Amino acid sequence: MSMSRLVSLLVSWATEKQLDEHVLCEESLMDHFFRYLEEAYGCGNLASHVAHGCMMAFDEYVGQNKVLTAWLHALAGLLPEPIRQYCTKINRIIMAQEPTTNPLPLLRGLYPAVLPKELASVAPGLVGNHLSPEALKMQLAELILEQVFTGQELRHRKWSEKVQNSPHRRTEQWNRQDFVSLCVHTFSGETDALVIALCDAVSPDENTWNVSVGIMAYIACCLEVAEMQYDDMEDV
């Protein structure tokens, strides 16, 4: 299986409606992937062959492509749920944009509140590169995911600082109640269930909250993007 075919398959899977909520509530990511293949191909045996090809391709291409590396880690259970969801949402937003050979409109869709000058600094190497629309989306997604994994991604840096300095933290260390309070006061009511689901995913015990500022910032990133998507639905 070629790298482009594997990425295309994963993007199609990642953009399936209600993937995030369904995986959180009902089944593992790996189970959901196999179920998606079975529904897509209409045959369990064929889906198993495709899944086997995907796993072999993962082994071949891992490290060469950040999108594939992210999904391999996610399927292996090595990627914390908030990071996995945020990577999914990044891919979903980029791939849903209108085709273009200019990365700036794609970045505006991903970061609608960011000023143009700051947007231009996110992916300077892609400006004026004369890539096809499909290649541009793939390279931009890979670039943003690399920034996610290295702690340099724009939205995550913003939320890391906000969480670190938030007045909602009433004690020396964050606890779950204070963090949920921060999220509820920051985002709309539509995201309340997602806050609880993501908190449960990283720390099921409500009385123990050994969650880093970085992971809390990823939860906030997921909520911000989810709120963007709710706003888009209301505008339709």
Side-chain angles (χ1 to χ4, degrees):
M1 181 179 291
S2 69
M3 183 186 295
S4 61
R5 170 62 184 140
L6 182 56
V7 172
S8 176
L9 176 63
L10 288 169
V11 167
S12 297
W13 169 50
T15 53
E16 185 186 54
K17 186 178 181 182
Q18 301 299 326
L19 168 63
D20 298 339
E21 292 80 3
H22 187 89
V23 171
L24 274 173
C25 297
E26 297 186 13
E27 59 188 349
S28 72
L29 196 62
M30 181 65 81
D31 288 342
H32 190 278
F33 183 51
F34 280 112
R35 184 178 63 79
Y36 169 79
L37 291 177
E38 191 168 11
E39 290 178 359
Y41 289 93
C43 173
N45 289 336
L46 181 56
S48 296
H49 283 296
V50 174
H52 179 69
C54 288
M55 296 303 109
M56 292 183 65
F58 272 134
D59 290 339
E60 181 177 353
Y61 300 130
V62 64
Q64 299 181 37
N65 182 289
K66 295 298 185 299
V67 176
L68 296 184
T69 302
W71 284 110
L72 178 60
H73 289 168
L75 288 167
L78 301 176
L79 204 62
E81 182 62 22
I83 302 179
R84 197 280 300 173
Q85 280 214 32
Y86 189 46
C87 290
T88 298
K89 293 176 186 298
I90 287 172
N91 272 301
R92 184 176 296 171
I93 291 171
I94 291 174
M95 298 303 166
Q97 301 299 310
E98 290 294 324
T100 178
T101 57
N102 181 354
L104 294 181
L106 301 177
L107 288 168
R108 277 197 297 272
L110 188 59
Y111 305 113
V114 175
L115 296 175
K117 184 177 181 180
E118 191 173 7
L119 277 182
S121 69
V122 173
L126 295 181
V127 177
N129 239 7
H130 305 296
L131 296 169
S132 70
E134 181 180 356
L136 177 61
K137 287 184 176 183
M138 296 306 305
Q139 289 203 22
L140 181 60
E142 184 169 353
L143 174 65
I144 300 298
L145 288 188
E146 182 172 9
Q147 293 174 358
V148 168
F149 297 143
T150 58
Q152 299 301 311
E153 193 265 336
L154 192 62
R155 184 176 284 110
H156 184 257
R157 285 193 285 114
K158 176 191 74 174
W159 277 108
S160 293
E161 184 176 347
K162 284 189 175 184
V163 171
Q164 187 69 49
N165 300 315
S166 173
H168 285 270
R169 185 180 62 186
R170 298 175 295 175
T171 58
E172 184 176 347
Q173 300 294 326
W174 275 100
N175 59 55
R176 176 174 171 138
Q177 182 180 358
D178 289 347
F179 179 66
V180 171
S181 175
L182 165 65
C183 295
V184 168
H185 281 83
T186 303
F187 301 104
S188 65
E190 286 89 346
T191 62
D192 287 356
L194 184 56
V195 174
I196 301 304
L198 287 170
C199 287
D200 286 345
V202 297
S203 184
D205 185 352
E206 292 189 14
N207 299 315
T208 304
W209 186 252
N210 297 319
V211 179
S212 69
V213 168
I215 294 298
M216 286 187 277
Y218 279 120
I219 293 176
C221 288
C222 289
L223 299 174
E224 181 179 307
V225 173
E227 192 166 69
M228 286 166 44
Q229 292 170 328
Y230 288 130
D231 291 342
D232 288 344
M233 289 171 62
E234 290 177 356
D235 291 341
V236 173

